[in-house]
Amino acid sequence: NTAAKKVTENPRGGQTEAVKKQKGIIRNRFKLKMNLLVDLPNPSGGSTTTGNTARRAFNDVDKFAECLGFNEKEKEIIIRIRNILLCLKSGCELNKEKFQEYCHTSHLMWFDLFPWSSPSPYTHRLFAHSPDIYCAFPLPLAMYTEEASEAKNKYYKQDRQMHARKSSKIYNMTDIIHRSFESSDYNISIKFFKSRKVVKSIYPQAVQDIFLD
């Protein structure tokens, strides 16, 4: 009993031996079943749990749940987290009431399935505040990601050659920045957003039901 108490209790508030052992088991499952390195120091800095790691894990929900040791009922929370993230990154207009209800139901499901564990700050923000964050922006959140700025890099050379003065470097860079401001103007972006076509059929049915018709 004394040995068990030492293993499960940590007076400093750190991870117990039992928790560390379980994390090691889960890491090995991800490595063997999905070829993913999870929650390990990255040689280049940070952690190996990156956005690409999460994307690959959510793409195969069955193996994801198997690595975590979830049953069929617990696997539903993984599906719901994936669906909320898909709604936010889809770039489609959402039915605000349906989206809020879906997030609220998912939040309650978490506490029903895991009453012994509070969600992490990120998970709490995803469940409790995603609808408010979505409503706070005039355009879909997908249009505010870094992907848009990275995609703009290929146009800088064209703007420098065709839409910028060549009399000095200062004028040249100033014109490029002004050109970027023009192309990212809200009125231009909203026209592009309304005119584009999104293939909604590629998304799960639960996500399509939240999309605004």
Side-chain angles (χ1 to χ4, degrees), residues 20 64 93 120 149 195:
K20 291 180 180 179
F64 192 2
E93 286 191 271
S120 66
S149 60
S195 63

Side-chain angles (χ1 to χ4, degrees), residues 10-157:
N10 189 336
R12 297 184 179 181
Q15 293 182 348
T16 63
E17 292 300 322
V19 172
K20 291 180 180 179
K21 181 179 179 180
Q22 185 62 25
K23 287 181 68 174
I25 293 173
I26 293 175
R27 281 198 203 101
N28 291 336
R29 288 175 184 167
F30 274 107
K31 176 60 178 176
L32 294 174
K33 296 180 183 296
M34 305 190 73
N35 196 26
L36 292 175
L37 297 177
V38 178
D39 199 26
L40 291 173
N42 195 326
S44 60
S47 170
T48 56
T49 308
T50 61
N52 289 330
T53 304
R55 190 178 299 110
R56 288 176 59 188
F58 278 111
N59 283 339
D60 194 336
V61 175
D62 293 331
K63 286 186 178 180
F64 192 2
E66 188 177 348
C67 292
L68 295 176
F70 283 6
N71 56 35
E72 286 297 319
K73 186 177 180 181
E74 293 170 337
K75 186 174 71 173
E76 179 65 22
I77 199 68
I78 298 178
I79 296 174
R80 283 180 168 267
I81 292 175
R82 181 201 63 184
N83 290 343
I84 293 173
L85 293 173
L86 286 176
C87 286
L88 294 175
K89 73 179 293 263
S90 66
C92 300
E93 286 191 271
L94 307 179
N95 186 308
K96 298 176 183 178
E97 290 76 16
K98 289 183 179 180
F99 185 51
Q100 186 171 15
E101 177 63 24
Y102 192 84
C103 292
H104 180 66
T105 305
S106 303
H107 203 182
L108 295 178
M109 180 180 291
W110 176 283
F111 289 107
D112 181 54
L113 293 173
F114 314 111
W116 45 268
S117 174
S118 298
S120 66
Y122 176 81
T123 308
H124 169 77
R125 183 166 66 246
L126 187 70
F127 287 149
H129 303 295
S130 289
D132 296 330
I133 295 174
Y134 172 78
C135 295
F137 289 87
L139 293 171
L141 293 180
M143 302 187 73
Y144 295 93
T145 63
E146 61 183 6
E147 294 179 3
S149 60
E150 291 177 356
K152 181 66 178 174
N153 290 334
K154 61 184 178 181
Y155 294 107
Y156 285 145
K157 182 177 181 180

Side-chain angles (χ1 to χ4, degrees), residues 148-188:
S149 60
E150 291 177 356
K152 181 66 178 174
N153 290 334
K154 61 184 178 181
Y155 294 107
Y156 285 145
K157 182 177 181 180
Q158 179 181 348
D159 291 342
R160 182 178 291 110
Q161 293 176 345
M162 307 297 295
H163 303 283
R165 290 169 288 180
K166 312 297 190 302
S167 54
S168 74
K169 290 185 177 179
I170 295 178
Y171 290 157
N172 190 263
M173 293 302 299
T174 300
D175 291 344
I176 293 173
I177 293 174
H178 288 169
R179 181 73 177 180
S180 299
F181 287 157
E182 292 172 0
S183 61
S184 62
D185 183 80
Y186 168 75
N187 293 322
I188 297 176

Side-chain angles (χ1 to χ4, degrees), residues 193-209:
F193 169 70
K194 291 181 177 180
S195 63
R196 71 195 185 102
K197 294 182 180 180
V198 179
V199 183
K200 298 181 179 180
S201 58
I202 63 175
Y203 294 97
Q205 187 59 47
V207 177
Q208 294 183 42
D209 293 339

